[in-house]
Amino acid sequence: MNLRDLKYLVALAEHKHFGRAAEAAFVSQPTLSTQIMKLEEELGVALVERTPRKVLLTEVGREIVQRARDVLNEVEQIRLIARRTLDPESGTLRLGIFPTLGPYLLPHVIPQIRERFPRLELLLVEEKTEVILRQLREGRIDAGILALPVHDQQLHVEKLFDEPFVLAVPEDNPLARHRSIKLDDLADQNLLLLEDGHCLRDQALEVCQLAGAGERSGFRATSLETLRQMVAANVGITLLPVLAVKPPVARVEHVRLVEFLGRPPARHIAMLWRKSSAMHGFLGDFAELFRQLPDGLLDPGIDPT
């Protein structure tokens, strides 16, 4: 048994197809198939069920794949320790971030990252929260920027900032006449929300519960931009995170933004990484850049002009 064969097995588990797994592993399909069979012979168990249309792992195969991922991740950590010792600020950082934050936060941070870590190769992965957490646990990414709470004792949580929400309403909606409202003013309102799987949906539902509001039935958006356009079309009202309404994001005609009085509802943003990560010290320094946002960027105050 060697690391190469474990990589082949993990690739097969991910792609469930010998051809695609071989392509991902940069070997020929016969080579990958032969090495998998040799691994089965060495272990004395069947790891793969070969069917005419797809490849399935046996029960023991699934368990061994999980262990193989752990082994490969630990080997990668060893390599990272060596590289970071030689030059802590070079190399590659694989960072996951969720779709309702990434496009609106990164333009304000990337220039500072390039200036502070000019030799760093930053690879960004935009996925929903559950995918980022899975990839983080499997060692496929190094860190993730997510909204709290996240319950996982294996992950270190570095809090970054709180991002307030504002209310987006059509220009002829009665709420548009107010520059600011109380959370209670949403009582009995029905809000447009994102589809299942988006953490923003869960956060908005929590706000709805606090305010006594509900969800607009029969509609669920796939992105913040869809929500914004539905408000412009006078379909309903919604909550938007403040970074999604600040420049360089363009304003949308026929949409009015209303802030909340007092302490506005907000989502709590943090960077997470494995406690076992060899990059722990560097990631702490990297996270600090996400706290140094431009003045006023997280201010929910809306310019009425």
Side-chain angles (χ1 to χ4, degrees), residues 131-156:
V131 177
I132 292 175
L133 285 173
R134 182 173 69 248
Q135 293 185 350
L136 193 53
R137 295 177 185 119
E138 293 175 353
R140 297 168 64 183
I141 59 175
D142 303 304
I145 296 181
L146 300 171
L148 299 178
V150 174
H151 304 289
D152 191 322
Q153 294 299 315
Q154 297 181 352
L155 299 178
H156 172 81

Side-chain angles (χ1 to χ4, degrees), residues 82-247:
R83 288 199 294 268
R84 294 291 173 191
T85 299
L86 295 173
D87 189 353
E89 297 180 1
S90 68
T92 300
L93 174 63
R94 301 163 297 175
L95 179 67
I97 191 165
F98 57 97
T100 61
L101 178 65
Y104 313 106
L105 171 64
L106 293 174
H108 303 285
V109 182
I110 292 297
Q112 286 74 20
I113 293 175
R114 288 176 174 169
E115 181 180 356
R116 174 64 180 83
F117 303 110
R119 299 186 307 279
L120 180 70
E121 179 186 40
L122 180 61
L123 300 181
L124 296 168
V125 177
E126 186 178 88
E127 290 285 359
K128 294 179 181 179
T129 295
E130 61 181 19
V131 177
I132 292 175
L133 285 173
R134 182 173 69 248
Q135 293 185 350
L136 193 53
R137 295 177 185 119
E138 293 175 353
R140 297 168 64 183
I141 59 175
D142 303 304
I145 296 181
L146 300 171
L148 299 178
V150 174
H151 304 289
D152 191 322
Q153 294 299 315
Q154 297 181 352
L155 299 178
H156 172 81
V157 177
E158 192 79 12
K159 295 180 181 178
L160 300 180
F161 55 83
D162 291 342
E163 183 185 14
F165 290 108
V166 296
L167 186 69
V169 303
E171 61 184 358
D172 59 354
N173 187 288
L175 292 173
R177 295 194 293 268
H178 302 270
R179 184 172 181 181
S180 58
I181 61 171
K182 296 180 295 183
L183 194 58
D184 292 345
D185 292 330
L186 293 183
D188 301 323
Q189 296 280 345
N190 290 319
L191 276 67
L192 302 170
L193 300 179
L194 291 173
E195 64 182 0
D196 291 333
H198 288 277
C199 63
L200 182 58
R201 172 181 172 79
D202 298 330
Q203 297 149 11
L205 283 172
E206 183 177 351
V207 174
C208 289
Q209 185 177 15
L210 290 172
E215 177 183 3
R216 170 84 180 245
S217 61
F219 173 84
R220 290 185 182 179
T222 57
S223 70
L224 282 187
E225 299 314 308
T226 302
L227 283 180
R228 209 188 309 259
Q229 294 302 324
M230 291 301 97
V231 174
N234 202 21
V235 175
I237 66 176
T238 195
L239 291 170
L240 293 176
V242 72
L243 287 175
V245 301
K246 292 295 183 78

